[in-house]
Amino acid sequence: MDGSAFTVMRMLRMVRILRVARVASTFGELRKLVMSITASLIPLSWTLLLIFLMTYMFAIMITHVVSDRLMHVKKGEEIEESDLLEEFFGTLPKAMTTLYMIISEGIHWGEVMHPLVTQVSPYFR
């Protein structure tokens, strides 16, 4: 091999080193991205806890009001929408599921609000 072949080999080696350096800078950006996502997990968990507690408090309140209303209905009197009230807010887990479905657009608030407004209290509007 003569000197020009060694020069070409050195140039190819330099190109390879530059390519590795470019990839390494990309991994640096990837590292920053991963670190940012990891740092945001703590605030995300606090936010999810706050949403859960708010849903839990409102579920307790609505379940209490609905069950009180269903218990104070006269024995012979039948509420037209008592089945819907029982289905949506009969127990605490049902109420929490209903509220979660409302938040996530799994069910429209109007469908749940109508039995509450007509049978329990117009203040739920």
Side-chain angles (χ1 to χ4, degrees):
M1 287 185 146
D2 59 348
S4 63
F6 285 121
T7 306
V8 171
M9 291 297 285
R10 283 186 183 153
M11 290 177 82
L12 288 174
R13 199 181 271 171
M14 288 296 281
V15 169
R16 189 176 0 157
I17 289 173
L18 289 175
R19 203 175 330 153
V20 169
R22 190 176 67 195
V23 170
S25 68
T26 304
F27 285 136
E29 292 173 4
L30 179 64
R31 183 178 165 274
K32 280 183 191 177
L33 183 64
V34 169
M35 294 300 289
S36 298
I37 290 172
T38 327
S40 68
L41 288 178
I42 293 173
L44 175 67
S45 62
W46 282 111
T47 304
L48 291 175
L49 179 68
L50 182 64
I51 290 172
F52 174 77
L53 290 176
M54 294 288 289
T55 304
Y56 184 69
M57 289 185 332
F58 278 99
I60 289 173
M61 181 192 73
I62 293 174
T63 303
H64 177 70
V65 170
V66 167
S67 61
D68 189 46
R69 171 69 177 143
L70 291 175
M71 287 173 54
H72 285 86
V73 172
K74 294 177 185 172
K75 298 290 183 190
E77 205 177 301
E78 182 68 30
I79 299 177
E80 305 92 37
E81 296 173 336
S82 65
D83 293 338
L84 286 176
L85 286 175
E86 182 68 32
E87 178 185 344
F88 291 138
F89 302 107
T91 63
L92 186 61
K94 285 181 183 179
M96 286 189 68
T97 304
T98 301
L99 290 176
Y100 176 74
M101 288 170 56
I102 291 169
I103 291 171
S104 63
E105 283 296 320
I107 189 170
H108 194 269
W109 170 243
E111 297 174 35
V112 177
M113 179 188 69
H114 184 68
L116 286 174
V117 171
T118 58
Q119 300 301 320
V120 179
S121 174
Y123 294 113
F124 280 109
R125 187 174 292 242

